Amino acid sequence: MRRITVFRIYLCALFLLSLPIVLAAAAAWQPPSQPKTTVIAHRGASGHAPEHTLSSYRLAARMNADYIEVDVRATKDGKLVALHDATLARTTNVETVYPHRSPWRVSDFSLRELKKLDAGSWFDPRFAGECVPTLDEVVRMLKAEHVNVPLYVETKQPGIERAVARLLQKHGVLQRRSVMFQSFHPESLQALRPLIPRGVPLIQLVGEKEARSGRDELLQQIAVYADGIGLPLPAVTEEWVRAAHGRGLMVHVYTVNEPHDLARLCAMGVDGVFTDYPDRPGRIAACRRLPRH
């Protein structure tokens, strides 16, 4: 009986000694955070400023976007510029400055000629005088202003991959792995793969028509050379997201501007969304989702 009493006293003493440690550990413990859906500023903060201008990129950074998308094309003299369209008519005053050079293809103009264009007034007079920036100018601006938001580079035409990789390498972007690449052209992503470090993601963009036909075969092909798929908003379903994740592919969706769409996609578990308004997603709790298993 005495042995039992001594043993109980020993257990109580041990408990009291260990109690502060247990309580401290409990106080310090936090539940594992749920990964948030990546917010990609579509052509910069293009809902608030003219797309693919330095103003748009600066604003996207201030709005705490996770990535800034930069579409890249080559000029007639081989310079890399940030432009979405193959022609200049929609986002510049090219028809006024060069009225006799229709259809105003980017590839028909030198960089010097492009720099004479106004790329901001079409959006709002407040942005009059904005120029078409080069990729080099975009990277230099972000570095000079200590903006640490990674780039999400889309190669808009095959054949520019080596020049893009060389420029980003020069500025240390590839070394920091602070970049992601996407393209509608499989051959462009395949050309990029040997030019970039391991771990830099490649995302295959697909159109709506393509996304609605032959899903499993398409995913099988993409998984060979890419790390993710970019889907148009109207084509995204839970089955699509589940099938892509089953292949180990990330799912990024374009272009998501309405809160109800964002909430629905985040509930599905998509990995990222492109948005013209990178200030909106951060306010939506639905973008917190459970980790995939």
Side-chain angles (χ1 to χ4, degrees):
M1 185 70 179
R2 181 169 179 171
R3 289 182 180 179
I4 295 175
T5 302
V6 171
F7 183 66
R8 286 177 177 173
I9 294 172
Y10 172 78
L11 286 178
C12 289
L14 184 63
F15 172 76
L16 291 173
L17 287 172
S18 62
L19 186 59
I21 299 174
V22 173
L23 292 175
W29 182 85
Q30 297 291 334
S33 60
Q34 299 172 356
K36 71 182 182 69
T37 301
T38 298
V39 175
I40 305 145
H42 184 236
R43 310 177 194 179
S46 56
H48 299 284
E51 65 185 60
H52 292 316
T53 60
L54 296 184
S55 291
S56 185
Y57 299 143
R58 286 191 182 99
L59 192 54
R62 289 205 296 270
M63 291 178 173
N64 298 312
D66 296 312
Y67 281 85
I68 297 174
E69 184 199 27
V70 183
D71 293 325
V72 180
R73 291 187 176 278
T75 62
K76 183 179 181 179
D77 49 347
K79 305 300 182 182
L80 301 174
V81 292
L83 275 165
H84 175 271
D85 296 4
T87 65
L88 296 156
R90 182 176 64 86
T91 58
T92 74
N93 62 340
V94 68
E95 295 182 41
T96 301
V97 179
Y98 302 106
H100 305 298
R101 295 181 63 176
S102 176
W104 301 289
R105 286 186 293 263
V106 177
S107 57
D108 290 337
F109 290 81
S110 68
L111 178 60
R112 184 176 180 181
E113 291 172 327
L114 288 187
K115 286 298 185 181
K116 295 179 181 179
L117 302 178
D118 180 342
S121 292
W122 68 274
F123 186 88
D124 190 287
R126 294 182 295 116
F127 296 100
E130 285 275 355
C131 294
V132 175
T134 64
L135 179 59
D136 186 73
E137 288 169 343
V138 173
V139 176
R140 288 181 184 276
M141 181 273 290
L142 295 177
K143 290 175 66 176
E145 298 183 12
H146 306 289
V147 175
N148 296 318
V149 182
L151 295 181
Y152 200 125
V153 176
E154 179 177 346
T155 52
K156 300 298 291 186
Q157 61 192 96
I160 64 174
E161 298 81 17
R162 188 169 297 277
V164 170
R166 187 183 300 121
L167 186 148
L168 296 178
Q169 181 83 15
K170 179 181 74 172
H171 287 293
V173 175
L174 288 183
Q175 290 91 324
R176 293 195 305 271
R177 290 196 170 94
S178 55
V179 67
M180 196 177 296
F181 292 97
Q182 67 175 353
S183 184
F184 279 100
H185 306 282
E187 63 270 32
S188 186
L189 296 181
Q190 291 163 7
L192 274 168
R193 180 58 82 192
L195 302 174
I196 61 177
R198 293 185 63 182
V200 175
L202 299 177
I203 309 298
Q204 177 63 60
L205 290 165
V206 299
E208 187 172 351
K209 182 178 179 181
E210 190 178 12
R212 294 190 185 281
S213 61
R215 180 187 64 210
D216 293 335
E217 183 179 353
L218 179 63
L219 288 173
Q220 183 178 4
Q221 294 170 355
I222 291 173
V224 172
Y225 60 88
D227 305 287
I229 184 169
L231 289 171
L233 175 60
V236 182
T237 63
E238 288 187 25
E239 291 75 20
W240 246 113
V241 176
R242 194 179 305 115
H245 285 166
R247 294 277 183 180
L249 295 170
M250 293 181 285
V251 178
H252 292 171
V253 182
Y254 64 94
T255 304
V256 187
N257 290 328
E258 298 301 326
H260 67 273
D261 286 326
L262 183 66
R264 178 174 61 87
L265 292 169
C266 291
M268 288 183 190
V270 302
D271 302 281
V273 292
F274 289 83
T275 179
D276 299 333
Y277 302 92
D279 53 330
R280 291 180 182 176
R283 300 198 298 265
I284 298 177
C287 268
R288 292 286 176 180
R289 58 181 174 79
L290 294 173
R292 296 201 312 273
H293 295 289

